[in-house]
């Protein structure tokens, strides 16, 4: 008996995805992801070799903020 119904479930760790996949999910160009990082609107959550990795929820938040910025500009 390895499992017990009395043990608390561990929270799922957020998945980290590379920039090109993050761009595809957000519906923007990979260059846009790089620009958001350069401007400080998005921060990489990790690295795999040279590739920056992002949390999808951070990418979506940056995309929503960019949409708001473009409406007020």
């Amino acid at each position: 008996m390895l499992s017990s119904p009395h043990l608390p479930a561990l929270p799922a760790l957020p998945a980290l995805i590379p920039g090109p996949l993050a761009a595809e999910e957000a519906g923007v160009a990979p260059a846009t992801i790089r620009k958001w990082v350069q401007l400080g609107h998005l921060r990489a959550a990790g690295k795999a070799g040279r590739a920056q990795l992002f949390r999808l929820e951070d990418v979506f938040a940056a995309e929503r903020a960019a949409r708001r910025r473009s409406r007020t500009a």
Side-chain angles (χ1 to χ4, degrees), residues 2-29:
L2 295 176
S3 65
S4 170
H6 302 293
L7 294 176
L10 295 175
L13 295 174
L16 299 179
I17 60 173
L21 180 57
E24 184 178 322
E25 290 294 322
V28 298

Side-chain angles (χ1 to χ4, degrees), residues 2-70:
L2 295 176
S3 65
S4 170
H6 302 293
L7 294 176
L10 295 175
L13 295 174
L16 299 179
I17 60 173
L21 180 57
E24 184 178 322
E25 290 294 322
V28 298
T32 301
I33 297 291
R34 292 190 299 272
K35 190 66 165 179
W36 288 344
V37 170
Q38 181 183 17
L39 294 172
H41 300 311
L42 178 63
R43 204 168 52 153
K47 288 193 111 181
R50 290 180 43 195
Q52 292 182 316
L53 302 175
F54 301 93
R55 289 184 185 92
L56 197 51
E57 60 265 24
D58 294 343
V59 174
F60 288 146
E63 190 271 332
R64 285 191 304 271
R67 207 175 321 133
R68 282 193 301 270
R69 282 190 301 274
S70 70

